[in-house]
């Protein structure tokens, strides 16, 4: 033992000596030469260092445990707080910091888009946009002061976060320059960006191979040997697709689907690779994709070497690129290499770049559109080159650039404004506490910061206009001052008002508003402010008699998300002594029912704040409004003027049909060098005008004939107004078009009364609302189907369900796919991989769900899988070739592994079934014990979503078990015959085998309901009484009748039914659909139909469950297929597993629906509380928001108005979306079938039998349950699109059923009973 230990010790000493010698040698070489010697040693050391550096980097994204979750957060269907924070704009703390966000994408036709927003310290922002459409290139560059530090926005270019790491909206409405001929066009761009995969952290998910090569070649860093942070810009990337529309010059709207990346970078202007390597930093991003197979690649490098690269596959199996045969320097030249190759972990790829590429320079970035050949397949690419020493062409800079204030100057200006806001002695009214007066009332020419929270939207805008007019001879702004929100808050008991609104019910809201208004008007507020306001009137307007306008200025007015224009009072022609009272009246107008409901309907609190503007009246001969862009389309080349004689009130309040004059803005290339000319003129049907009387009051008077026949302003005044508006737009519009109110004084002077941005242009389009929940298509030739899903979730699914139920189903299927393959592929929670959403409908991705395990030729097991899901054969040679292209041919060892895993899944299913039954058979959420608080209920729902996932995962497992066992049965019955030789006898035999099953849930429902109808028919009195008191009554009256019937057997039977099946309903997995227990009306409608048929056709035959065979031997002997001895023995062995699989699948589905019903009730309670707390105007709106958006609404997130507005519009779109029809399988981007498509008619229907038999009867075609309830009679043959659980009550009385959708596993209820059935006709 001692000798052995001595030997080991000596061995360690030798190894230690060798390692220390090696390290000492490296250090010595490094000290003498400044380098570390041979590249092989450098590669080894850099590789080790990079791996260690990667491990030490914090994990900032994908902090979920979707594989083995224990909480809702682990599942990953909701963005975590860390990701929400990452997606927000970085709050830059120094002038060296930048925050850069880029989206780019291409398609097979060469169309491409590049959009970049670069934020600097101090709010300075640059935007770069490039668009290539049908061979024509467009671009724009702008720089200016952003209106928001919490958004990626400048002017009318915006990146809007919809859901962190999961969905972004890209919007632009403005001018683009045609790069081909230099002309300017108006473009409207609306894109929704969705990911294919998880985000990649630029410093954690690194490409060690390429970085090792880079550092080995350029790694002489002096003392900073392993300073990798200087090589890798901080940020993240994500592969995805842009789906949206583009309109050029109000032409035809075009749809695009572009593939590419989004790039987020946080950098330092003065640092980076340049300081480490001694050469100017130049970066490039190369992306290419072949549309024929969906394979793509991405390479990232600098002029020092490649630092990242990956191959991207539609199967989401992505690999790092390990070697590139050319250096990035070759791609930074004017001419590009014709050929280059790169390699990943498995194979090499040859890229050919066609010589006909297009290059566009945008400041320090070049965009190169490429045509490629990728391993012999045609493709498209895009090359982004960020050139540190590139100077923008003078032509482009002159056209697009906008002079901006430097960040330093911005700070100096802000500091100056702060110090100038000090208390001054002898201020207005010569009051002693000048600082207090300054904060309560400010003049328009005050240097106080134009803060909307202080002066309101109108007040801040007027103050800016007043200062701008002081430097202008073109227009004036009437003198005045602003009563700030500080005076409003000090004189009103706002906390008491909040309590009053919080305690008021929705039905009491108007009364509460009136009470608050009454309290304000009867308060002492007027007496408190009258002397102060009088002093300001004297100081501002002097001793002359003046008539004033007193105008409300809410803090929510003219915002980016909410306007509130016209919601609060304005008083014109007010005498000085009456101003204080009118100020109080303005305050009270903030609480009119109209104003309060407007705010509540847009996600804002009932109690807000208000400033009041007091301004000299303008004696106008004409007045109106002017838009510096078409308010309908945003076209900046068309200015719109509306006006009328007299005061502008008649135009603003839409009391007249005004004159309309359009001005055409023309320029050689840009908005900065332009001229105006008169466009269209339309004479309004002006009947009256509003004038200011001598007594200060306004009145509406009839127009003279001359005035009615003439325009209120001439062409010169119109042009002058346009030029003034453009100047205001440039100075105050923040690069956005503006809406101004103007007045033409009786002396000919032009007054500007108001200015605000046009906010309506940013509204979501119907296209965006319809596709907001869509999943990204990994290729444009994806095969998608609503078979199977269309039976459970027919029609449109609510946005709330898509955000919860669908995502859980998708992750559950991903989990089962991993279990089958035995490969621990990371579950992707950021996008739907298996269950796809398109136009708010749930689909299955055929290539990724069904055909991922393949032979060289189509085999019978794959055809059996088709029959299970579709009820007919789907896999043909072309589809098989696509699947092989994507997933490859499965080697025999892997197939054996999958088979073993499937058998183990079947084996474990019984234990899983026992577990899920124990937990979820009587699942409930104790809502009565939860605090009546919106946030508490919301958090409870969020936590309980995990329970829904838990049972969902079990249901996915049982569905696999059912499918596998059925496939075994089908293959056994086939006895080696090829799929082409299978006949209807095999299908009937499979149906017969599955029909002899134990207590299938979906089959028990129609039987139980039929028994309930029979009990009502036998115990409800005479036929006339039943028809009069139940069948012919409204569903609610009928429900009351059977619930309270004197024959106790009827209400008791009803109670028993609800206890067993009350959680079921039509489209039962949709959270918007109430269960029969919660809303019995649909159930009673079905029951009335059944009872009517029982009474009307008392002697009619009722179908029941098929009689069981005495034993399995008798069952097998009854089959059409002649079985061999071995096949018969194996099938007899499989029968219990087949039956248990069907039973377990239907049972877990019932548990899933039961758990979902509890969540439905919790959501219903949440909706009720949100309406009660005035967070929702209508409880139904809750179902048209995602779960995350509901949480944002509860937190009063800045996007709340937009969330509510979108929900209202989605609710209106629902009926039209439900009318859309689709084929069972679609290829590529899904579009509804044209209703004018001709349908061929014949004498027969060919379909797959699921329940055998022969019947001759009348055929009824019913596309809805409501229609079937009215016309179905006993013995009829029903033809319909598909049947979910809601149709099952009809099964006992039908003579036959034919459906368009369905597979052998889809119709457990049909195969159990009841009548001859065909599907997929």
């Amino acid at each position: 033992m001692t000798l052995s230990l001595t030997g080991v010790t000596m061995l360690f000493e030798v190894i230690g000596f060798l390692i220390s010698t090696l390290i000492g040698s490296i250090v010595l070489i490094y000290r003498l030469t400044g380098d570390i010697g041979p590249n092989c040693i450098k590669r080894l050391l850099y590789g080790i260092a990079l791996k260690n550096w990667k491990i030490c980097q914090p994990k900032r994204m994908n902090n979920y445990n979707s594989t083995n979750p224990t909480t809702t957060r682990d599942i990953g269907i909701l963005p975590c707080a860390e990701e929400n924070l990452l997606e927000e704009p970085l709050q830059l703390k120094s002038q060296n910091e930048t925050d850069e966000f880029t989206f780019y994408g291409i398609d097979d036709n060469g169309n491409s888009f590049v959009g970049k927003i670069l934020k600097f310290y101090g709010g300075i922002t640059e935007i770069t946009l490039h668009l290539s459409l049908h061979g024509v290139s467009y671009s724009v560059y702008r720089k200016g002061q952003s209106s928001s530090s919490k958004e990626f926005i400048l002017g009318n270019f915006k990146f809007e976060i919809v859901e962190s790491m999961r969905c972004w909206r890209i919007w632009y409405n403005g001018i683009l320059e045609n790069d081909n001929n230099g002309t300017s066009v108006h473009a409207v761009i609306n894109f929704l960006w969705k990911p294919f995969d998880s985000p990649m952290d630029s410093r954690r998910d690194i490409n060690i191979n390429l970085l090792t090569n880079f550092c080995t070649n350029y790694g002489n860093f002096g003392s900073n040997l392993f300073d990798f942070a200087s090589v890798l810009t901080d940020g993240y990337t994500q592969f995805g697709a842009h789906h949206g529309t583009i309109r050029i010059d109000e032409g035809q709207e075009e749809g695009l689907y572009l593939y590419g990346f989004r790039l987020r970078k946080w950098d330092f202007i003065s640092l980076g690779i340049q300081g480490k390597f001694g050469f100017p930093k130049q970066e490039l991003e190369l992306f290419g994709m072949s549309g024929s197979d969906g394979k793509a690649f991405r390479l990232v490098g600098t002029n020092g070497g490649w630092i990242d690269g990956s191959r991207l596959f539609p199967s989401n199996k992505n690999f790092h690129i390990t070697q590139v045969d050319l250096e990035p320097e070759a791609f930074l030249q004017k001419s590009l290499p014709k050929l280059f190759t790169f390699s990943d972990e498995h194979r090499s790829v040859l890229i050919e770049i066609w010589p006909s590429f297009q290059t566009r320079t945008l400041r320090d970035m070049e965009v190169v559109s490429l045509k490629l050949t990728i391993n012999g397949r045609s493709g498209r690419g895009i090359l982004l080159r960020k050139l540190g020493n590139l100077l923008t062409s003078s032509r482009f800079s002159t056209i697009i650039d906008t002079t901006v204030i430097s960040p330093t100057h911005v700070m100096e200006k802000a500091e100056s404004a702060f110090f100038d806001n000090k208390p001054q002695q002898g201020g207005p009214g010569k009051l002693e506490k000048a600082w207090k007066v300054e904060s309560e009332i400010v003049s328009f020419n005050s240097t106080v910061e134009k803060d909307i929270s202080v002066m309101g939207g109108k007040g801040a805008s007027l103050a800016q206009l007043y200062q701008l007019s002081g430097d202008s001879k073109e227009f004036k702004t009437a003198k005045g001052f602003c009563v700030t929100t500080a005076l409003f808050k000090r004189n009103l008991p706002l906390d008491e008002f909040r309590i009053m609104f919080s305690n008021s019910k929705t039905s009491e809201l108007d009364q509460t508003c009136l009470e608050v208004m009454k309290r304000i008007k009867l308060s002492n507020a007027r007496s408190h402010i009258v002397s102060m306001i009088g002093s300001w009137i004297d100081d501002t307007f002097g001793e002359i008699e003046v008539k004033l306008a007193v105008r409300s200025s809410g803090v929510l007015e003219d915002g980016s998300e909410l306007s509130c224009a016209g919601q609060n009072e304005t008083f014109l022609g007010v005498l000085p002594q009456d101003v204080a009272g009118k100020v109080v009246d303005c305050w009270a107008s903030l609480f009119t029912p109209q104003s309060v409901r407007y705010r509540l309907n847009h996600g804002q609190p009932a109690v807000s704040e208000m400033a009041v503007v007091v301004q000299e009246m303008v004696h106008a001969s004409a007045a109106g409004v002017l838009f510096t862009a078409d308010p309908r389309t945003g076209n900046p080349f068309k200015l719109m003027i509306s006006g009328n004689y007299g005061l502008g009130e008649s135009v603003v309040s839409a009391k007249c049909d005004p004159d309309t004059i359009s001005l055409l803005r023309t320029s050689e290339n840009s908005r900065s060098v332009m001229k105006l000319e008169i466009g269209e003129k339309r004479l309004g049907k002006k009947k009256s005008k509003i004038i200011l009387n001598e007594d200060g009051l306004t009145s509406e008077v009839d127009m003279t004939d001359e005035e009615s026949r003439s325009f209120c302003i001439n062409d010169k005044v119109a042009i002058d107004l346009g030029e003034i508006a453009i100047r205001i737009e440039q100075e105050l519009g923040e690069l956005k078009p503006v809406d101004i109110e103007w007045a033409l004084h009786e002396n000919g002077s032009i007054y500007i009364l108001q200015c605000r941005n046009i906010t309506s242009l940013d509204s979501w389009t119907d296209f965006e609302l319809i596709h907001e929940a869509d999943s990204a298509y990994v290729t444009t030739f994806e095969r998608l189907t609503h078979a199977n899903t269309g039976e459970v979730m027919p029609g449109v699914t609510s946005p709330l369900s898509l955000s919860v139920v669908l995502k859980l189903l998708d992750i559950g299927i991903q989990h089962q796919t991993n279990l089958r393959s035995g490969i621990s592929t990371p579950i992707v929670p950021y996008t739907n991989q298996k269950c796809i959403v398109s136009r708010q409908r749930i689909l299955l991705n055929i290539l990724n769900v069904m055909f991922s395990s393949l032979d060289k030729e189509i085999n019978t097991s794959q055809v059996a899988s088709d029959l299970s899901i579709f009820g007919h054969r789907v896999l043909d040679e072309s589809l098989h070739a696509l699947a092989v292209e994507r997933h490859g041919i499965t080697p025999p060892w892997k197939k054996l592994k999958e088979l073993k895993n499937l058998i183990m899944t079947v084996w474990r299913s019984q234990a899983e079934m026992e577990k899920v039954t124990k937990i979820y058979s009587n699942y409930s959420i104790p809502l009565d014990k939860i605090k009546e608080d919106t946030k508490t209920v919301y958090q409870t729902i969020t936590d309980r979503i995990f329970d829904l996932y838990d049972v969902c995962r079990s249901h996915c497992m049982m569905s696999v078990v059912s499918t596998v066992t059925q496939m075994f049965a089908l293959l056994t019955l086939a006895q080696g015959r090829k799929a082409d030789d299978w006949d209807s006898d095999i299908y009937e035999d499979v149906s017969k085998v599955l029909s002899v099953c134990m207590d299938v849930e979906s089959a028990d429902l129609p039987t139980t309901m039929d028994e309930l109808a029979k009990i009502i028919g036998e115990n409800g009195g005479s036929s006339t009484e039943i028809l009069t008191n139940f069948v012919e009554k409204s569903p609610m009256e009928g429900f009351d009748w059977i619930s309270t019937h004197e024959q106790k057997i009827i209400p008791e039977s009803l109670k028993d039914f609800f206890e067993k099946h009350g959680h079921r309903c039509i489209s039962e997995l949709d959270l918007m659909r109430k269960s029969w227990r919660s809303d019995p009306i649909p159930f009673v409608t079905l029951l009335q139909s059944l009872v009517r048929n029982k009474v009307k056709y008392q002697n009619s035959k009722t179908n029941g469950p098929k009689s069981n065979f005495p034993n399995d031997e008798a069952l097998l002997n009854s089959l059409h297929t002649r079985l061999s001895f071995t096949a018969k023995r194996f099938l007899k062995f499989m029968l219990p597993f087949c039956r248990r699989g069907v039973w377990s699948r239907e049972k877990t589905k019932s548990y899933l629906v039961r758990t979902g019903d509890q969540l439905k009730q919790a959501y219903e309670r949440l909706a009720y509380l949100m309406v009660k707390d005035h967070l929702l105007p209508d409880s139904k709106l809750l179902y048209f928001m995602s779960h995350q958006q509901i949480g944002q609404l509860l937190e009063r997130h800045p996007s709340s108005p937009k969330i509510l507005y979108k929900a209202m519009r989605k609710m209106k779109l629902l009926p039209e979306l439900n009318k859309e029809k689709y084929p069972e399988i679609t290829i590529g981007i899904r579009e509804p079938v044209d209703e004018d498509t001709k349908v061929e008619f014949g004498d027969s229907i060919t379909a797959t039998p699921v329940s055998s038999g022969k019947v001759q009867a009348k055929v009824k075609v019913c596309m809805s349950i409501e229609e079937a309830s009215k016309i179905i009679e006993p013995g009829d043959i029903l033809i319909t699109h598909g049947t979910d659980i809601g149709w099952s009550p009809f099964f006992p009385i039908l003579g036959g059923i034919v459906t368009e959708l369905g597979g052998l596993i889809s119709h457990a209820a049909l195969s159990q009973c009841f009548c001859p059935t065909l599907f997929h006709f």
Side-chain angles (χ1 to χ4, degrees), residues 468-491:
L468 185 62
S469 67
D471 302 326
S472 172
K473 297 181 180 179
E474 301 169 333
F475 73 95
K476 298 178 181 180
T477 298
K479 292 187 295 184
F481 58 85
C482 182
V483 179
T484 69
T485 56
L487 199 62
F488 173 84
K489 289 184 286 186
R490 289 188 181 122
N491 283 276

Side-chain angles (χ1 to χ4, degrees), residues 1214-1235:
L1214 181 66
E1216 292 302 315
L1217 289 175
N1218 264 323
K1219 294 178 182 177
E1220 294 177 349
K1221 304 297 180 184
Y1222 297 88
E1224 183 188 26
I1225 298 174
T1226 54
I1227 300 176
I1229 311 301
R1230 209 160 185 255
E1231 294 295 339
V1233 174
D1234 186 355
E1235 293 184 357

Side-chain angles (χ1 to χ4, degrees), residues 422-598:
K422 291 179 179 179
Q424 300 178 15
Q425 299 298 323
K430 300 179 181 180
L431 298 178
E432 294 179 0
K433 297 182 179 179
W435 173 247
K436 181 178 179 182
V437 174
E438 183 73 1
S439 64
E440 293 177 336
I441 301 178
V442 293
S443 64
F444 289 163
N445 59 359
S446 170
T447 55
V448 71
E449 186 70 19
K450 309 304 182 294
D451 190 344
I452 291 178
S453 66
V454 176
M455 304 180 71
K458 194 181 279 99
S461 170
L462 280 169
Q464 291 177 309
L465 281 172
Y466 189 84
Q467 293 190 9
L468 185 62
S469 67
D471 302 326
S472 172
K473 297 181 180 179
E474 301 169 333
F475 73 95
K476 298 178 181 180
T477 298
K479 292 187 295 184
F481 58 85
C482 182
V483 179
T484 69
T485 56
L487 199 62
F488 173 84
K489 289 184 286 186
R490 289 188 181 122
N491 283 276
L492 298 181
L494 299 183
D495 288 339
E496 294 182 23
F497 293 166
R498 291 187 180 96
I499 294 173
M500 291 174 65
F501 280 108
S502 177
N503 293 335
S504 69
K505 298 179 181 178
T506 305
S507 58
E508 301 169 348
L509 181 61
D510 288 0
Q511 183 61 36
T512 304
C513 291
L514 297 176
E515 289 178 9
V516 170
M517 292 176 65
K518 183 179 179 181
R519 283 191 59 177
I520 293 173
K521 292 184 177 183
L522 295 178
S523 69
N524 296 324
R526 183 188 179 282
S527 60
H528 290 166
I529 67 175
V530 64
S531 61
M532 185 187 302
I533 289 179
S535 298
W536 273 88
I537 291 174
D538 292 342
D539 274 26
T540 304
F541 305 110
E543 301 297 331
I544 62 171
E545 186 68 25
V546 64
K547 297 181 181 64
L548 303 171
V550 181
R551 310 166 73 187
S552 59
S553 179
V555 296
L556 299 178
E557 285 186 15
D558 308 329
S560 60
E561 303 288 352
L562 192 63
S563 173
C564 294
Q567 297 301 314
N568 305 315
E569 285 287 3
T570 291
F571 300 98
L572 304 177
V574 180
L575 298 176
Q577 62 269 25
D578 298 328
V579 169
K582 296 303 181 185
V583 168
V584 175
D585 288 344
C586 283
W587 290 348
S589 73
L590 184 65
F591 300 99
T592 62
Q594 173 190 352
S595 182
V596 170
R597 287 189 182 279
Y598 181 87

Side-chain angles (χ1 to χ4, degrees), residues 569-702:
E569 285 287 3
T570 291
F571 300 98
L572 304 177
V574 180
L575 298 176
Q577 62 269 25
D578 298 328
V579 169
K582 296 303 181 185
V583 168
V584 175
D585 288 344
C586 283
W587 290 348
S589 73
L590 184 65
F591 300 99
T592 62
Q594 173 190 352
S595 182
V596 170
R597 287 189 182 279
Y598 181 87
R599 288 194 298 277
L600 294 176
N601 289 349
H602 290 80
Q604 298 301 314
V607 179
S608 182
E609 295 176 8
M610 173 184 282
V612 178
V613 169
V614 179
Q615 196 175 18
E616 185 179 6
M617 285 288 294
V618 176
H619 291 267
S621 62
V625 296
L626 185 150
F627 298 92
T628 58
D630 189 318
R632 293 172 294 106
T633 65
N635 187 350
F637 297 115
K638 182 185 289 186
L639 284 70
M640 303 295 295
I641 301 175
S642 297
N644 189 19
Y645 288 103
L647 301 180
E649 182 68 16
S650 63
V651 179
V652 174
S653 61
K655 291 182 178 180
C656 73
D657 177 25
D659 297 331
T660 304
I661 302 173
S662 66
L663 301 178
L664 302 181
R665 184 177 355 201
T666 60
S667 64
E668 296 179 1
N669 287 311
S670 81
R671 305 175 72 175
S672 57
V673 181
M674 59 81 202
K675 60 181 180 179
L676 292 174
E677 59 185 41
I678 300 294
E680 296 180 4
K681 297 176 65 175
R682 187 185 71 84
L683 187 65
K685 299 176 181 179
K686 307 182 294 293
K687 301 293 184 182
S688 62
K689 62 181 178 179
I690 296 176
I691 62 171
L692 183 64
N693 299 322
E694 291 296 327
D695 58 4
L697 300 177
T698 60
S699 60
E700 185 175 355
V701 298
D702 293 337

